[in-house]
Amino acid sequence: MDRTPTRYNTSTATSSFQTKHTKYSIQSSTESMGFKNIAIFGAGGSNIGYHVLQALVNDGNYNVTVIARAASKTTFPESVSVVKINDFNDHPQLVKALKGQDVLLSAIGFEGYAVQYQLIDAAIEAGVPRLVPSEWGFDNDDPANRDLSPILYVKTKLVEYLRSKESASFSWTALATSIWLEWYVRLRAQVTKIQLLTLSRALDAQFLGIDPIKHSVQYWRDGTHEFSCTTLPYSAAAALQVLQLPAEQTANKRIFVSAFEASQRQIVAELEKQQGVQYTAVPFDADKTVQEAKAKWDAEQDIPAAYTTLVAAAVLPEYKANFETVGKQPLLQGMDGVTLPKLTLEGVVREWLKAKSG
């Protein structure tokens, strides 16, 4: 993982937050549901935890605490309380860290996912009424998704555990945000072990088989299936909206988030239009790739293979990641009181190109 210390924008505007190129406006209504004290686990780096933290800090209506590993070198805004944990198996230490929190939101990556079981138990004992697990993906209750991806299977088991803990004083909310269109996985072999080095933002790392640098594409089947798309900042805005809704409206539910739907071919067409080049289609057998990835995971617990199955979950129709078209419910955009920024494929590509040239 990237260990470079991360510094945060400490602006405290109460109605907006801003990434490098995009400013999103959202409505704040903490009075409607009483969630005021928010703890985040997994806020380091530049992935979803960073963006959720940025949104909370810039909203200005929350008391934010970061739960971090003792070895973390990330620096946070002065307005954020930071609690360092020496040992996540130390239940009393976790309970103490979570006392007084209204929500524990997790953004931990797959490699550290199991820690959430300890956090759930500690949150319940500490009296935390709401937990948001680190899902940020697909409909993990769909058996097809669970059977496809070890990542989705692990996430399903965690939600099953949360369901077993539901009570009048404890509930959970999961967010299914599908593919972050600007997200990528960079992997590198080191000695004989494959290590996950970084999850970051860039179309140029081919997570969807699209290479905007070499202007080539590997189409999964014919590349025409449209799937739900979001971005990291948009998903952070969605998380903030969920926190601002009445608690009973989101309790013990997976909320689906979809800014728009697009296919590989539509993404490539937009890149071609804005870059002024034509992409070359590279021969690719999607179904064989999925079979090989699943076999490699079973044999070696290979992390890159696991992430390959996530691409399949997004771009192949049998996994139903086109949340709006197939009618997944509840869809955040259709819930009363929700106001999210308009996001388009054209705009995401434009912002990526702007960032790339900058």
Side-chain angles (χ1 to χ4, degrees):
M1 295 178 65
D2 183 3
R3 298 297 184 186
T4 304
T6 303
R7 295 189 179 275
Y8 292 86
N9 178 353
T10 57
S11 167
T12 55
T14 59
S15 60
S16 66
F17 69 96
Q18 189 164 4
T19 64
K20 183 175 180 181
H21 296 292
T22 306
K23 187 174 183 180
Y24 290 154
S25 294
I26 53 182
Q27 293 182 346
S28 179
S29 56
T30 55
E31 298 82 1
S32 66
M33 28 48 72
F35 292 152
K36 183 76 173 176
N37 302 318
I38 314 296
I40 304 179
F41 176 59
S46 59
N47 208 2
I48 186 62
Y50 163 85
H51 290 274
V52 172
L53 178 62
Q54 189 84 317
L56 289 167
V57 169
N58 289 347
D59 181 272
N61 288 304
Y62 297 92
N63 301 318
V64 183
T65 299
V66 167
I67 307 296
R69 299 182 186 277
S72 174
K73 292 181 171 56
T74 303
T75 58
F76 299 98
E78 291 183 3
S79 63
V80 173
S81 299
V82 180
V83 178
K84 297 286 187 75
I85 302 297
N86 295 314
D87 181 2
F88 278 86
N89 291 313
D90 186 339
H91 181 72
Q93 185 183 19
L94 291 178
V95 172
K96 181 179 179 181
L98 293 172
K99 283 284 187 182
Q101 300 298 327
D102 298 318
V103 177
L104 171 59
L105 184 147
S106 176
I108 190 64
F110 178 57
E111 68 280 10
Y113 208 77
V115 172
Q116 292 178 107
Y117 286 94
Q118 289 97 304
L119 289 169
I120 291 168
D121 291 344
I124 292 171
E125 185 169 331
V128 179
R130 179 66 55 91
L131 190 140
V132 179
S134 187
E135 284 226 340
W136 315 103
F138 306 100
D139 185 358
N140 301 333
D141 283 330
D142 187 328
N145 287 331
R146 295 199 302 270
D147 293 342
L148 167 70
S149 174
I151 295 175
L152 302 185
Y153 176 80
V154 167
K155 293 185 175 187
T156 300
K157 301 305 288 185
L158 188 82
V159 168
E160 288 178 0
Y161 188 70
L162 283 166
R163 285 178 173 139
S164 74
K165 300 293 183 178
E166 291 173 10
S167 69
S169 59
F170 179 78
S171 60
W172 58 273
T173 303
L175 283 166
T177 54
S178 190
I179 283 290
W180 296 315
L181 193 54
E182 83 286 38
W183 187 58
Y184 79 89
V185 178
R186 180 185 298 161
L187 300 150
R188 182 174 67 191
Q190 183 175 2
V191 192
T192 59
K193 182 180 180 181
I194 300 296
Q195 295 183 329
L196 182 66
L197 295 184
T198 182
L199 301 175
S200 187
R201 299 167 303 167
L203 276 165
D204 63 348
Q206 309 107 52
F207 186 63
L208 293 173
I210 301 170
D211 188 338
I213 308 302
K214 296 180 179 178
H215 308 129
S216 64
V217 57
Q218 294 176 326
Y219 286 121
W220 287 66
R221 296 182 186 155
D222 63 4
T224 61
H225 176 62
E226 296 181 14
F227 47 90
S228 290
C229 298
T230 59
T231 63
L232 289 161
Y234 188 91
S235 296
L240 198 55
Q241 289 282 288
V242 166
L243 294 178
Q244 294 167 355
L245 290 170
E248 65 276 7
Q249 198 171 341
T250 58
N252 304 322
K253 295 176 182 177
R254 177 176 289 107
I255 310 295
F256 294 90
V257 183
S258 177
F260 57 86
E261 293 181 354
S263 68
Q264 279 185 294
R265 289 193 178 273
Q266 289 169 337
I267 295 168
V268 169
E270 189 60 42
L271 283 162
E272 288 179 331
K273 176 184 174 182
Q274 295 196 33
Q275 289 182 301
V277 297
Q278 187 168 356
Y279 277 54
T280 300
V282 178
F284 179 70
D285 188 329
D287 296 291
K288 181 181 179 182
T289 296
V290 171
Q291 291 173 0
E292 291 176 345
K294 292 175 71 174
K296 193 163 188 178
W297 170 262
D298 290 341
E300 305 172 23
Q301 303 288 286
D302 183 77
I303 296 293
Y307 277 98
T308 295
T309 63
L310 285 187
V311 184
V315 303
L316 297 181
E318 57 264 40
Y319 303 112
K320 301 177 182 176
N322 48 342
F323 298 156
E324 296 174 79
T325 297
V326 300
K328 295 289 185 183
Q329 294 294 330
L331 187 69
L332 182 61
Q333 287 84 337
M335 298 176 75
D336 290 342
V338 171
T339 303
L340 283 166
K342 182 172 178 57
L343 197 66
T344 65
L345 174 58
E346 178 184 6
V348 172
V349 170
R350 185 189 314 112
E351 293 299 323
W352 177 80
L353 291 172
K354 187 187 298 182
K356 186 68 180 174
S357 64

